[in-house]
């Protein structure tokens, strides 16, 4: 079996060569197998001092960090001990080349893992970088099932920057209501919005004001050590690589370390032409590596803070301590934590998006033209009285049978075979006003892409059903990286805007924001056989239908493992 994994890993590396990795990046050392045995279960935790049920992995939230080297095979044996809930885990940023069934997207690539069952994920990490994992069933990511996934370059390969130490930090927002309560409100008539989160967590730690009436009697304990601020201890003069990921349920964030500059060097597993910021803007599903040098007065500690942007939020800022050794790690800085930027100032956020370029020595040249253009107008609609999020006024519903299985087994009655629209009447659509007709429809149809073609997707933002409101939507594509060709303000012009695309050094990513009343253009190659979700990474937005599914090269997908069957129309299938 070990020999099988070794040769399969070598095959994956060669396949990676065809998917934008140069010959010099292919390691010559033998790949390793990284085995993990996990148990997902509910436990009472107090990450922000407020006690509630949290989904843990081996008793932890965030869960264990996966560390591997490019080309390694990762095997995670997951036991579902949630007792009354299904579960699935998505390996965010891992392209699953040759293993589309282990992407972990319930309803798209697998049936959910039933309570008491054990499911084994097995995949090759084909590219170095900063990635994450998280629940991908219902809205379970809200409940704390997430963690970091770090992939190192093989021996003999080097990053275009240097540092002394490496740390991972995941930023999240945190609700006190359960995902069941949130989902029920979103599905109700009248509509009950989830509201703003109660806290912001930095590496699983936050602080809710236990003196508030909403804290409850005996539920909130400000002295609980679980909610003491996260401490990042540094040595004066050393440089640290901070791998920062966001898995917020709703919030766009800014992150800063008081008095220190951050040099952006990596985004979603791709090296960036370095640029310096005092604040890093980060959206749910994104990962960045930033370099920070401990070059300030070492006799004191400093604040690290996160703040909600793009929403007029009442959520207090998240705080952590940037601790200069040998100061006591719990010694509070002598200053007030930074307040952060103005929430509705789009300019700096758009400027950061435009500043992201591929590192000059690691440019993957984009295709100069595309074979197909799909325009996705982000709309908010009413469908039979329910509030829904949609694209082109069509709100996505999961099929009961995972698309990967339906397509491979030719189960044509499992989902709507009518192709969804490649666009809408954006010429006459007023993106700055509430639509005169907000009624929409639902569908579980999918976009079928011709294999090995180049596809452009234009994400167009518009006004929601609330006047003067256009939200930030971070869109995440499974199974691929894409070139970010451009961002723009206002309505996308199909005739003129493509003339300004960056075809020289565009960054490649797997998650990208579309800013309020703006557009984002991306390009990818449909060269990874499978069925892949593409959706807004805000939990409530995806739950309400803001997503689509791409199919490509399904005839090239190998035999599906029996472990992903067992739901929908696959219940009657005999398991070998």
């Amino acid at each position: 079996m070990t020999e099988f994994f070794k040769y399969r890993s070598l095959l994956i590396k060669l396949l990676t060569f065809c998917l934008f990795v140069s010959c010099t990046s292919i390691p010559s050392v033998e790949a390793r197998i990284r085995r993990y045995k996990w148990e997902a279960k509910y436990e009472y935790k107090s990450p922000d001092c407020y006690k509630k049920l949290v989904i843990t992995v081996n008793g932890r939230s965030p869960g264990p960090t996966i560390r591997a080297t490019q080309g390694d095979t990762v095997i995670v044996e997951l036991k579902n001990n949630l007792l009354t809930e299904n579960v699935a885990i998505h390996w965010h940023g891992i392209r699953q080349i040759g293993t589309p069934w282990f992407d972990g997207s319930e309803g798209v690539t697998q049936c959910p893992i039933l309570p008491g069952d054990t499911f084994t994920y097995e995949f090759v990490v084909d590219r170095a970088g900063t990635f994450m994992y998280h629940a991908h069933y219902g809205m379970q990511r809200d409940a704390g099932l997430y963690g970091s996934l770090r992939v190192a370059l093989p021996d003999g390969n080097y990053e275009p920057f240097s540092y002394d130490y490496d740390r991972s930090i995941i930023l999240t927002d945190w609700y006190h209501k359960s995902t069941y309560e949130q989902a029920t409100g979103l599905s109700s008539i009248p509509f009950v919005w989830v509201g703003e989160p109660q806290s912001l967590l930095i590496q699983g730690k936050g602080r809710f004001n236990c003196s508030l009436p909403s804290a409850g009697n005996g539920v909130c304990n400000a002295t609980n050590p679980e909610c003491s601020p996260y401490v990042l201890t540094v040595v004066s003069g050393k440089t640290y690589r901070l791998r920062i990921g966001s898995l917020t349920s709703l919030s766009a964030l800014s992150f800063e370390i008081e008095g220190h500059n951050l040099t952006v060097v990596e985004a979603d597993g791709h090296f960036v032409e370095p640029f310096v910021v005092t604040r890093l803007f980060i959206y749910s599903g994104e990962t960045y590596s930033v370099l920070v040098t401990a070059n300030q007065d070492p006799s004191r500690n400093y604040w690290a803070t996160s703040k909600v942007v793009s929403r007029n939020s009442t959520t207090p800022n998240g705080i952590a301590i940037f601790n200069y050794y040998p100061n006591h790690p719990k010694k509070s800085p002598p200053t007030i934590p930074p307040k952060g930027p103005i929430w509705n100032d789009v300019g700096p956020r758009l400027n950061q998006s435009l500043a992201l370029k591929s590192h000059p020595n690691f440019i993957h040249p984009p295709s100069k033209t595309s074979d197909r253009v799909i325009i996705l107008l982000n709309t908010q609609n009413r469908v039979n009285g329910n509030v829904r999020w949609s694209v082109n006024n069509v709100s996505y519903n999961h099929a009961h049978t995972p698309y990967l299985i339906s397509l491979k087994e030719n189960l044509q009655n499992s989902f709507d075979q009518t192709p969804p629209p490649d666009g809408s009447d954006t010429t006459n659509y007023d993106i700055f006003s509430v639509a005169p007709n907000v009624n929409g429809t639902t569908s579980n149809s999918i976009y079928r892409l011709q294999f090995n073609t180049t596809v452009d997707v234009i994400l167009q933002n518009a006004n929601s059903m609330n006047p003067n409101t256009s939200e930030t939507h971070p869109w995440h594509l499974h199974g691929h990286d894409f070139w970010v060709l451009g961002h723009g303000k206002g309505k996308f012009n199909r005739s003129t805007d493509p003339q300004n695309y960056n075809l020289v050094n565009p960054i490649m990513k797997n998650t990208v924001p579309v800013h309020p009343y703006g557009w984002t253009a991306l390009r990818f190659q449909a060269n990874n056989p499978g069925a892949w979700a593409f959706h807004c990474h805000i939990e409530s937005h995806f739950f309400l239908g803001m997503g689509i599914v791409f199919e490509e090269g399904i005839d090239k997908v190998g035999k599906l493992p029996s472990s992903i069957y067992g739901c929908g129309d696959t219940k009657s299938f005999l398991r070998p």
Side-chain angles (χ1 to χ4, degrees):
M1 188 62 71
T2 301
E3 290 298 309
F4 167 77
F5 288 131
K6 182 172 71 174
Y7 290 124
R8 198 189 72 170
S9 296
L10 292 173
L11 178 61
I12 294 296
K13 289 170 203 160
L14 291 175
L15 187 54
T16 301
F17 166 76
C18 300
L19 293 174
F20 321 127
V21 178
S22 65
C23 293
T24 57
S25 297
I26 298 176
S28 57
V29 297
E30 287 189 7
R32 295 178 56 186
I33 300 171
R34 312 277 182 165
R35 294 184 182 273
Y36 298 86
K37 194 170 184 177
W38 288 357
E39 176 191 32
K41 67 176 181 178
Y42 272 110
E43 297 185 53
Y44 282 107
K45 296 283 186 182
S46 303
D48 68 344
C49 306
Y50 185 95
K51 184 179 178 181
K52 64 167 285 188
L53 283 172
V54 175
I55 299 179
T56 63
V57 175
N58 293 353
R60 298 161 55 185
S61 175
T65 296
I66 291 178
R67 291 179 173 86
T69 299
Q70 179 183 328
D72 286 354
T73 295
V74 173
I75 301 176
V76 178
E77 184 182 307
L78 178 66
K79 174 72 177 294
N80 179 8
N81 267 344
L82 297 182
L83 302 181
T84 59
E85 284 185 52
N86 301 330
V87 74
I89 293 182
H90 169 53
W91 313 97
H92 187 108
I94 305 302
R95 292 180 291 181
Q96 300 292 346
I97 300 171
T99 52
W101 43 80
F102 290 138
D103 181 58
S105 179
E106 180 272 333
V108 179
T109 60
Q110 71 170 96
C111 290
I113 308 165
L114 301 178
D117 279 3
T118 297
F119 184 92
T120 300
Y121 290 99
E122 181 183 322
F123 53 89
V124 171
V125 287
D126 64 282
R127 189 184 65 254
T130 303
F131 310 105
M132 303 178 287
Y133 64 85
H134 59 81
H136 215 290
Y137 177 80
M139 295 173 64
Q140 280 181 343
R141 196 178 83 227
D142 284 15
L145 201 173
Y146 63 86
S148 296
L149 199 167
R150 289 163 47 171
V151 183
L153 284 168
D155 291 343
N157 291 255
Y158 301 97
E159 294 150 335
F161 48 86
S162 60
Y163 51 91
D164 299 297
Y165 299 101
D166 200 341
R167 301 285 187 270
S168 293
I169 299 174
I170 292 186
L171 308 176
T172 52
D173 46 18
W174 193 247
Y175 286 89
H176 292 167
K177 284 187 176 180
S178 70
T179 57
Y180 288 121
E181 293 174 281
Q182 294 180 54
T184 300
L186 294 172
S187 305
S188 297
I189 301 176
F191 179 72
V192 181
W193 174 235
V194 297
E196 299 301 311
Q198 278 65 60
S199 303
L200 297 181
L201 306 185
I202 298 177
Q203 196 56 17
K205 291 177 175 289
R207 185 163 291 263
F208 182 69
N209 185 353
C210 291
S211 65
L212 294 175
S214 59
N217 186 20
V219 179
C220 198
N221 178 6
T223 64
N224 191 325
E226 283 186 44
C227 58
S228 59
Y230 171 69
V231 176
L232 177 64
T233 300
V234 298
V235 175
S236 181
K238 300 297 184 181
T239 297
Y240 293 79
R241 177 184 186 173
L242 304 185
R243 299 174 183 260
I244 303 172
S246 173
L247 286 174
T248 52
S249 301
L250 173 67
S251 311
L253 299 175
S254 70
F255 175 82
E256 63 184 293
I257 299 174
E258 178 191 10
H260 294 73
N261 288 333
L262 308 175
T263 302
V264 181
V265 294
E266 180 219 347
D268 290 0
H270 290 276
F271 297 133
V272 170
E273 182 177 341
F275 63 96
V276 177
V277 297
T278 55
R279 297 177 178 129
L280 177 74
F281 295 105
I282 186 167
Y283 307 90
S284 182
E286 288 191 311
T287 62
Y288 287 98
S289 283
V290 299
L291 302 182
V292 56
T293 300
N295 57 7
Q296 298 300 303
D297 178 3
S299 68
R300 53 159 291 195
N301 291 336
Y302 297 80
W303 295 110
T305 60
S306 60
K307 181 187 189 299
V308 176
V309 294
S310 193
R311 300 184 66 84
N312 191 9
S313 177
T314 56
T315 307
N317 291 358
I319 59 170
I321 294 177
F322 196 67
N323 165 231
Y324 272 74
Y325 181 83
N327 299 325
H328 194 284
K330 292 186 178 180
K331 179 182 178 182
S332 289
T335 51
I336 298 172
K339 292 183 178 180
I342 300 172
W343 72 270
N344 59 353
D345 188 359
V346 180
R349 291 186 276 129
L350 178 59
N351 288 341
Q352 180 183 299
S353 293
L354 294 171
L356 282 171
K357 305 287 193 303
S358 287
H359 190 282
N361 297 335
F362 295 88
I363 296 174
H364 304 299
S367 305
K368 297 302 181 185
T369 59
S370 65
D371 302 296
R372 183 175 179 182
V373 178
I374 299 173
I375 298 178
L376 301 181
L377 174 68
N378 297 333
T379 56
Q380 193 179 41
N381 300 89
R382 289 195 184 277
V383 180
N384 299 323
N386 289 101
V387 173
R388 302 280 295 193
W389 278 102
S390 314
V391 291
N392 299 329
N393 298 305
V394 179
S395 187
Y396 166 75
N397 278 339
H398 263 325
H400 293 297
T401 305
Y403 290 101
L404 182 65
I405 303 175
S406 296
L407 291 161
K408 190 65 179 173
E409 302 286 359
N410 199 27
L411 305 176
Q412 296 192 16
N413 294 325
S414 294
F415 65 92
D416 185 356
Q417 299 294 307
T418 306
D422 274 16
S424 60
D425 184 15
T426 52
T427 302
N428 297 310
Y429 192 97
D430 181 4
I431 67 168
F432 298 102
S433 304
V434 177
N437 180 4
V438 297
N439 291 324
T441 60
T442 60
S443 174
N444 59 17
S445 61
I446 64 174
Y447 287 84
R448 294 174 181 263
L449 307 177
Q450 187 175 341
F451 189 66
N452 257 342
T453 58
T454 301
V455 180
D456 279 4
V457 175
I458 312 301
L459 295 164
Q460 174 68 68
N461 226 334
N463 207 99
S464 69
M465 291 194 296
N466 298 316
N468 304 313
T469 302
S470 181
E471 302 198 17
T472 300
H473 298 289
W475 278 78
H476 170 57
L477 178 58
H478 293 225
H480 303 77
D481 292 329
F482 48 73
W483 292 283
V484 182
L485 301 184
H487 298 267
K489 299 178 181 179
K491 188 184 295 187
F492 178 78
N493 186 313
R494 194 164 179 171
S495 298
T496 59
D497 283 326
Q499 298 174 22
N500 298 317
Y501 282 170
N502 178 9
L503 300 178
V504 178
N505 58 351
I507 190 64
M508 297 195 77
K509 298 183 94 266
N510 61 62
T511 305
V512 69
V514 52
H515 297 288
Y517 299 114
W519 56 266
T520 299
L522 57 93
R523 177 171 292 174
F524 70 97
Q525 292 183 332
N527 57 4
N528 193 7
W532 307 106
F534 181 45
H535 61 93
C536 178
H537 214 257
I538 293 173
E539 281 283 63
S540 50
H541 290 188
F542 186 36
F543 179 82
L544 292 172
M546 199 171 199
I548 60 175
V549 172
F550 291 122
E551 174 271 320
E552 62 203 58
I554 201 69
D555 57 314
K556 295 172 175 58
V557 173
K559 180 178 172 57
L560 304 182
S562 61
S563 59
I564 69 171
Y565 287 70
C567 60
D569 292 340
T570 74
K571 290 179 181 177
S572 61
F573 279 57
L574 294 175
R575 292 187 168 187

